[in-house]
Amino acid sequence: MGKNLFKLGMGLLVAGGMLACQSQKNGISFEHQGDTLTIVHITNPTKYLLLPIQESSAEGKVKLDTGNPADMAMDVRLAVDSVEYYVPFELPAGAKEATVTIGKVAADAVCWDSIRLSDTFDTTNTDYYRPVYHHTPLYGWMNDPNGMVYKDGEYHLYYQYNPYGSKWGNMHWGHSVSKDLIHWEHLSPAIARDTLGHIFSGSTVVDKNNTAGYGKDALIALYTSASDEHGQIQCMAYSTDNGRTYTKYENNPVLTPFDGLKDFRDPKVFWYEPEQKWYMIVSADKEMRFYSSSNLKDWEYVSAFGKGYGIQPNQFECPDFIQLPVNGDPNNKKWVMIVNINPGCLFGGSATEYFVGDFDGKEFKCETKPEVTKWLDWGKDHYAAVCISNLDGREVAVPWMSNWQYANVTPIRQYRGANGLPRELSLYTKDGQTYMAANVVKEAQSLRKETREVGSVDLKGEYKMNEIFPATDGAYELEMDIVPNTDQEIGLELYNSKGEKTKIYLDLKAGKIVMDRTESGLTAFGEKAEPHAIENHDRRKTNSINYKNDFALATWAPLSLCEGKKYHLDIFVDKCSVEIFVDGGRIAMTNLIFPTEPYNSLRFYADGTTSKLENLKIYKLGL
Ligand code: FRU
């Protein structure tokens, strides 16, 4: 009890044969039953109990105890030595009393002095690296986008969310909505962790024909419940209030693995017109499995694809399955399976690959050999990318902008996790192969607040702009055509007064476009090995990594994906990220950066004879 400063009264009593220690402050009293359990009695509860967090603490178990067996304890890293930030824990509205039980937190931890009752929670930004125009949660942890769907003029972005700390845990579906894919409004979490497990990734469809029986146009979410007790099982929930709240189906789960697979998750559901049925694609360890259903509740196994395909060894996660015209020809459509892989990707950790082929309602036939890997993005921070359902005539994917190697330890506090800009997908052919381009959506042009038109520049040696804008908070876009006349290097450096820089250049000799963040700012964070689990559903158990080498690196893509006479570059910088789109997304590359001051200077350089930059434009971006 030593550190408890706010104690107004304190007593010792013997409760159930155990020594209990009681203290209280305004409206709250703590009954410590040793170090393993504290019962928090609250009179006239406010809206929230504010919980003090210390990220290095072990997880305590915090439960609103209503006596219902469905009460679920949340894992919370309550402060033991010092308070880093607070998270709000909602208390029952209008109640006279509430009881919260907290397990596994020592009776002398500092949190007991700092826990507070409050009707408000301040979400004013405190993070230096919070992006200006990318979607982030207001607070807490975010990973994969989930259940993205368009309905009645709104884009819904649900996401893997921990409302009780900025590290992975307590998976809920957080929720934001947008009318234009760019401006997002934060809403309350839509689906909360429950006794069946964490609410893992999944998808949402609009049930236009009322196949599930919850009404025409009900939103139906399919997600994975993940727990040690029940494993990974697919569950369903429905919403009849435009996605604000969901009711879980009373007979969950709707699908369990027939072979007891441990990794069986992330259902993506789509309507398959020729069979007039719903199909679900689920990641099943090192393959994807298809199921079909007429009512979204009863699912039948169809087939599997993927063993031995793409980068090896692999763990398939977060699938999507879409059909797109090749080179814009509506009479020549192909199916594409999107597969998110972790770990073991080209630059380490997680990334997104895809396979092009045909589907006849039974089997997916990939048109390339198993050893062919095609990447949707060539950076290191593009993961769990899936598409928005119910978009007419468009496929738009949204990634999570991080990598499991270091996602839990990026130098951010109040929140962790951002989405990459939405990308419009299309198929093009090159050298007899079909590839998928991922270009930033046209809606992103609404971010342009100021334009600086430079025009054409003859480039031999270097061309410098000491100030990209008189002041920048690190949120801008650069657009240009590079017409190389060299067989060596041509490119640019974004840098700040501290000499931190990110380099983006074409290495014509190697036939690559490269983004180099080795000297981009903070590149080694998290001293000790932190979890980025892959073995099972728990993202915290893991092996160790070397942060320095995992973050401080250059990523590259083959220029052979482009036509090659000149290269159109569209580069988006936003505080802690750089995204490049080359030639309408034939190459997309997404990387995090952590400069300690914004890059406000720009240097172009070219080796060899005079090359040209054309149509150089710089835009200051904002919401
Ligand atoms: C991918 C993933 C999914 C899983 C979720 C858990 O990043 O591992 O497979 O559903 O994250 O948060």
Side-chain angles (χ1 to χ4, degrees), residues 423-462:
R423 293 121 198 257
E424 179 138 5
L425 305 179
S426 61
L427 293 179
Y428 69 98
T429 48
K430 179 81 205 298
D431 304 329
Q433 288 272 335
T434 309
Y435 294 100
M436 188 152 69
N439 199 19
V440 57
V441 292
K442 59 181 182 312
E443 285 88 339
Q445 291 174 11
S446 72
L447 292 166
R448 295 172 180 171
K449 297 296 173 247
E450 254 178 70
T451 306
R452 189 167 167 187
E453 259 192 69
V454 185
S456 288
V457 178
D458 285 337
L459 196 58
K460 184 170 183 191
E462 70 172 8

Side-chain angles (χ1 to χ4, degrees), residues 118-273:
S118 174
D119 278 318
T120 55
F121 176 66
D122 186 4
T123 56
T124 313
N125 181 43
T126 58
D127 272 313
Y128 174 69
Y129 289 114
R130 189 185 291 268
V132 171
Y133 58 87
H134 284 81
H135 173 260
T136 55
L138 279 178
Y139 63 92
W141 160 275
M142 177 178 85
N143 55 294
D144 315 356
N146 295 149
M148 290 183 294
V149 63
Y150 180 72
K151 181 169 187 275
D152 296 342
E154 275 182 337
Y155 298 92
H156 295 267
L157 167 57
Y158 302 98
Y159 51 86
Q160 287 290 280
Y161 185 46
N162 182 4
Y164 303 116
S166 304
K167 288 187 165 222
W168 188 92
N170 303 310
M171 284 297 110
H172 287 47
W173 274 23
H175 189 197
S176 295
V177 289
S178 169
K179 291 193 167 26
D180 61 1
L181 287 170
I182 300 296
H183 299 84
W184 294 97
E185 184 193 340
H186 296 98
L187 301 179
S188 304
I191 309 182
R193 178 182 180 188
D194 59 29
T195 46
L196 279 184
H198 294 279
I199 311 296
F200 269 18
S201 290
S203 54
T204 300
V205 290
V206 181
D207 191 8
K208 292 183 181 160
N209 302 325
N210 191 18
T211 61
Y214 300 111
K216 184 174 153 37
D217 289 344
L219 283 173
I220 311 287
L222 274 301
Y223 59 87
T224 304
S225 285
S227 66
D228 290 342
E229 198 183 343
H230 306 286
Q232 300 190 350
I233 52 183
Q234 315 319 318
C235 292
M236 195 255 260
Y238 60 91
S239 169
T240 52
D241 61 357
N242 265 341
R244 269 45 184 187
T245 58
Y246 281 80
T247 306
K248 288 166 185 156
Y249 176 46
E250 65 276 15
N251 293 327
N252 275 335
V254 293
L255 180 65
T256 54
F258 53 75
D259 52 359
L261 265 190
K262 199 157 55 78
D263 291 290
F264 185 61
R265 57 179 179 267
D266 310 339
K268 172 76 189 202
V269 175
F270 58 98
W271 179 252
Y272 185 64
E273 197 59 35

Side-chain angles (χ1 to χ4, degrees), residues 493-552:
E493 272 177 19
L494 299 164
Y495 61 99
N496 62 19
S497 72
K498 299 185 171 172
E500 297 164 348
K501 59 180 178 238
T502 292
K503 279 174 76 177
I504 297 165
Y505 60 95
L506 311 183
D507 180 342
L508 281 313
K509 205 176 198 169
K512 290 176 174 176
I513 179 165
V514 183
M515 183 174 351
D516 185 342
R517 67 175 181 191
T518 45
E519 297 169 80
S520 54
L522 302 181
T523 54
F525 27 82
E527 295 274 298
K528 59 182 172 76
E530 272 286 334
H532 65 287
I534 23 117
E535 285 105 51
N536 59 26
H537 68 270
D538 189 334
R539 285 308 189 186
R540 294 154 300 187
K541 295 180 195 145
T542 191
N543 36 15
S544 62
I545 59 160
N546 178 336
Y547 288 102
K548 181 78 186 151
N549 295 337
D550 280 332
F551 195 85

Side-chain angles (χ1 to χ4, degrees), residues 306-318:
K307 274 217 174 102
Y309 275 79
I311 197 141
Q312 302 291 327
N314 58 24
Q315 166 76 61
F316 281 15
E317 298 187 322
C318 299

